[in-house]
Amino acid sequence: ATKKKLLRLKGLNSDSGKMYNPPPLTDLLNDEDDDDKARQVRVDDDLLFPILAECRVIKSQAEQKLLQHITEVTSFAHAYVMRNMKPGMMEYQGESLFR
């Protein structure tokens, strides 16, 4: 029988410098047949991270336009909250204004 491939995310975050490590395989398998299941799966910790990291770097024109729109909407919402906060208001009241 052909082993199934399990791609796990593992790699160094280039922004934070922190290593992202996947959970142990035993955390993913919780039946009494854990050992048997583990032998049927080939785990690959190397393939996925560089592909996803590259996807974070390259943005299409549509993605760039969407990010610009999201940034503008968020900026307007923050400005609205700042204009409408009054002395003595609680943080949750400010959060309720965020639109």
Side-chain angles (χ1 to χ4, degrees):
T2 304
K3 284 186 173 186
K4 294 180 181 181
K5 189 182 232 183
L6 174 65
L7 300 177
R8 299 190 315 165
L9 193 59
K10 179 181 179 181
L12 183 66
N13 183 304
S14 60
D15 295 328
S16 68
K18 294 181 180 179
M19 186 68 164
Y20 181 82
N21 291 303
L25 188 57
T26 53
D27 289 355
L28 301 174
L29 304 171
N30 54 14
D31 294 333
E32 59 276 351
D33 316 285
D34 287 350
D35 290 336
D36 186 44
K37 285 184 180 180
R39 282 191 287 274
Q40 296 173 15
V41 176
R42 187 166 57 104
V43 178
D44 186 331
D45 288 343
D46 300 320
L47 180 66
L48 193 57
F49 191 84
I51 294 169
L52 290 179
E54 189 65 21
C55 289
R56 289 183 61 216
V57 174
I58 300 170
K59 300 288 182 247
S60 69
Q61 190 172 12
E63 287 173 306
Q64 290 175 10
K65 286 181 180 181
L66 179 61
L67 288 169
Q68 178 66 40
H69 175 72
I70 291 167
T71 303
E72 289 172 2
V73 169
T74 303
S75 178
F76 289 135
H78 279 95
Y80 179 84
V81 171
M82 288 186 276
R83 282 193 309 273
N84 290 283
M85 286 296 291
K86 307 289 185 242
M89 288 178 74
M90 303 296 286
E91 182 178 357
Y92 73 90
Q93 291 171 306
E95 289 174 6
S96 72
L97 295 172
F98 194 82
R99 25 176 146 161

